[in-house]
Amino acid sequence: MNKRILSILIFALSFLSLIISLKLFWNLGIFVDEYNISPDIVSGGKFWLLMDWLRLLLLFLLCVISAVNIFKGYKE
């Protein structure tokens, strides 16, 4: 039961991190649209814009893997 609680906590924290990152990325898009500039200028270059996308992808994968981990392997 202790591992299940830990898995749920990991999922909750990763999901919260994903939501915060998505909101920040959304705000970046709104800022870029209103001031008619490029997202890579705001992010600090193309590399850092790609790192923003990679962060979102990794957080999404972490959420999926932790959600699968909650329901897999628990036979009580």
Side-chain angles (χ1 to χ4, degrees), residues 20-33:
I20 291 170
S21 292
L22 283 172
K23 182 62 177 165
L24 288 172
F25 202 71
W26 181 267
N27 286 342
L28 171 77
I30 292 172
F31 176 80
V32 163
D33 187 47

Side-chain angles (χ1 to χ4, degrees), residues 3-38:
K3 285 187 178 183
R4 186 174 181 122
I5 293 172
L6 184 62
S7 296
I8 292 171
L9 182 63
I10 289 173
F11 172 73
L13 290 175
S14 63
F15 186 71
L16 183 65
S17 297
L18 178 64
I19 295 299
I20 291 170
S21 292
L22 283 172
K23 182 62 177 165
L24 288 172
F25 202 71
W26 181 267
N27 286 342
L28 171 77
I30 292 172
F31 176 80
V32 163
D33 187 47
E34 287 181 358
Y35 289 94
N36 199 22
I37 55 177
S38 176

Side-chain angles (χ1 to χ4, degrees):
M1 190 65 174
N2 195 15
K3 285 187 178 183
R4 186 174 181 122
I5 293 172
L6 184 62
S7 296
I8 292 171
L9 182 63
I10 289 173
F11 172 73
L13 290 175
S14 63
F15 186 71
L16 183 65
S17 297
L18 178 64
I19 295 299
I20 291 170
S21 292
L22 283 172
K23 182 62 177 165
L24 288 172
F25 202 71
W26 181 267
N27 286 342
L28 171 77
I30 292 172
F31 176 80
V32 163
D33 187 47
E34 287 181 358
Y35 289 94
N36 199 22
I37 55 177
S38 176
D40 57 341
I41 292 173
V42 176
S43 295
K46 287 192 182 288
F47 175 76
W48 292 112
L49 181 62
L50 288 173
M51 291 300 107
D52 283 341
W53 281 106
L54 182 63
R55 181 188 65 216
L56 290 174
L57 175 68
L58 291 175
L59 282 171
F60 175 74
L61 290 175
L62 180 64
C63 284
V64 169
I65 291 170
S66 62
V68 167
N69 192 25
I70 289 172
F71 298 110
K72 184 181 118 182
Y74 292 110
K75 298 178 185 174
E76 295 181 27

